[in-house]
Amino acid sequence: MGKGTHFLGQPMFGQLISLLSKSEILKFSRENGGERYVKRFDAWQHLVVMLYAVIKRFDSLREITDSMFPEARKLAHLGINMMPRRSTLSDANARRPEHVFGLLYRSLYDRYKGGLSSDSRRRQVPSWLKRLQIIDSTTITLFSNLVFKGVGRHPKTGRKKGGLKVHMNIHANEGVPSDIRFTSAATNDSFMLVPSNYTAGDIVAMDRAYVDYSKFEELTRRGVIYATKMKKNLVYRPVSDTMYMFPEGVMEVRGMLMYYVNCYTFFESPEKDRAKILEDARGLPPEPSLFD
């Protein structure tokens, strides 16, 4: 019985490495200064070692090096020709630009996204789900507020926890994010909403952390549909209010066409200009349907 080389019977780490291109990774690293002053521990070895650490769930450089030294003879086929010391690995983490690995992620996503979508698994999904993108973030608490600026309000007792915030944009019918950004935990989420990243017909779902009225206006001009939560202090005026009911008499969905008017503070004569906004709004064509 012949041995397959594509996933079947292969260890998980070997399957993961087989998806990568060593020449491509080294190319990205050279173009972005990642190989400057590097003699032996290149970007490929750096990536393989860090992937190994992630799979093994190691938390420190000592754990990584202590675990890899006994396996030195078994890792030569992966292109690792030296076992890095803690100082070597630390220097590589500090000096090699993270943009190198960002380019690699983007390249892998573009190459394999056709196999990530639900259509590739022959699932019947509604057409609007293919247009839906979701942006959100999560905070990873790492250190005290002395190392990274803390997030949230000051607690009554103790200190705020500092850390990192992971921002992601994901297509609803795919299993991995199309864009990932790492910032300090105190960074506002709204920077992740970039209207130029979306085209007419796209649907964007987000929470109230991304509320930015100037960006919403640009999304509207681009023909992008967006769904979000309203801020508690939002001032708005309803233009139309429609309820869609189930046959049993239970409300299925409620659609309200409204225009927020708290932007009137930017005008010289608030009451007059706010009235004009509402008057103009009533003459606009109806919004496109979410489920067309």
Side-chain angles (χ1 to χ4, degrees):
M1 182 176 179
K3 293 184 178 180
T5 58
H6 185 67
F7 292 176
L8 184 62
Q10 300 294 315
M12 181 177 65
F13 193 53
Q15 297 179 32
L16 183 63
I17 296 300
S18 68
L19 299 174
L20 306 175
S21 170
K22 181 177 179 179
S23 60
E24 182 181 48
I25 294 170
L26 292 176
K27 175 177 175 290
F28 289 150
S29 185
R30 293 190 189 100
E31 291 177 349
N32 292 272
E35 299 305 303
R36 188 176 300 169
Y37 308 120
V38 174
K39 296 180 179 179
R40 299 179 63 186
F41 194 60
D42 57 26
W44 168 258
Q45 297 182 67
H46 189 186
L47 178 64
V48 171
V49 170
M50 296 310 296
L51 288 175
Y52 174 79
V54 171
I55 291 175
K56 299 291 286 186
R57 298 187 178 184
F58 291 146
D59 297 323
S60 67
L61 298 181
R62 184 185 296 275
E63 285 183 307
I64 298 173
T65 54
D66 289 351
S67 175
M68 293 193 70
F69 272 113
E71 308 293 338
R73 296 180 181 179
K74 303 178 183 179
L75 299 177
H77 67 286
L78 297 177
I80 299 180
N81 51 31
M82 64 165 291
M83 290 296 103
R85 300 285 181 178
R86 277 182 295 161
S87 58
T88 303
L89 192 54
S90 177
D91 289 342
N93 288 338
R95 296 175 60 178
R96 184 162 283 122
E98 67 276 7
H99 185 57
V100 172
F101 304 104
L103 290 173
L104 173 62
Y105 182 90
R106 172 55 60 182
S107 175
L108 290 172
Y109 176 79
D110 291 339
R111 186 184 309 161
Y112 296 110
K113 66 180 179 182
L116 297 172
S117 65
S118 54
D119 295 342
S120 66
R121 297 187 291 270
R122 298 182 181 179
R123 294 181 181 177
Q124 297 297 322
V125 297
S127 59
W128 62 267
L129 188 63
K130 302 174 186 178
R131 299 183 285 131
L132 176 61
Q133 299 185 47
I134 305 166
I135 55 176
D136 204 355
S137 66
T138 184
T139 301
I140 303 174
T141 301
L142 296 177
F143 307 104
S144 70
N145 192 34
L146 297 177
V147 181
F148 284 106
K149 186 178 180 181
V151 62
R153 298 179 179 178
H154 289 280
K156 294 181 179 179
T157 58
R159 295 176 178 174
K160 293 191 297 183
K161 296 296 183 181
L164 297 177
K165 185 178 286 187
V166 184
H167 308 263
M168 292 185 292
N169 186 107
I170 186 170
H171 291 258
N173 66 329
E174 296 177 354
V176 299
S178 59
D179 191 15
I180 305 176
R181 304 291 178 87
F182 296 90
T183 67
S184 66
T187 302
N188 190 279
D189 293 346
S190 61
F191 85 94
M192 195 67 179
L193 179 60
V194 182
S196 59
N197 290 345
Y198 306 99
T199 58
D202 285 346
I203 306 170
V204 186
M206 56 199 143
D207 59 29
R208 63 170 60 96
Y210 298 89
V211 172
D212 186 317
Y213 301 119
S214 62
K215 292 183 178 181
F216 287 172
E217 184 177 355
E218 186 174 351
L219 288 172
T220 302
R221 288 198 300 265
R222 289 176 172 270
V224 179
I225 303 170
Y226 54 90
T228 185
K229 294 181 179 180
M230 294 188 299
K231 287 190 174 182
K232 295 180 180 179
N233 60 350
L234 176 66
V235 181
Y236 65 93
R237 295 287 178 88
V239 178
S240 64
D241 192 355
T242 307
M243 296 184 183
Y244 300 90
M245 312 294 290
F246 283 110
E248 298 81 7
V250 181
M251 185 175 70
E252 179 182 9
V253 65
R254 179 181 181 182
M256 179 184 292
L257 178 61
M258 62 184 183
Y259 293 86
Y260 46 83
V261 295
N262 60 344
C263 56
Y264 71 90
T265 53
F266 295 102
F267 298 105
E268 294 181 358
S269 109
E271 292 303 325
K272 179 180 178 181
D273 290 315
R274 182 169 64 174
K276 187 175 186 307
I277 291 173
L278 294 174
E279 182 180 351
D280 294 341
R282 292 187 180 91
L284 292 176
E287 293 285 324
S289 172
L290 181 66
F291 303 103
D292 285 343

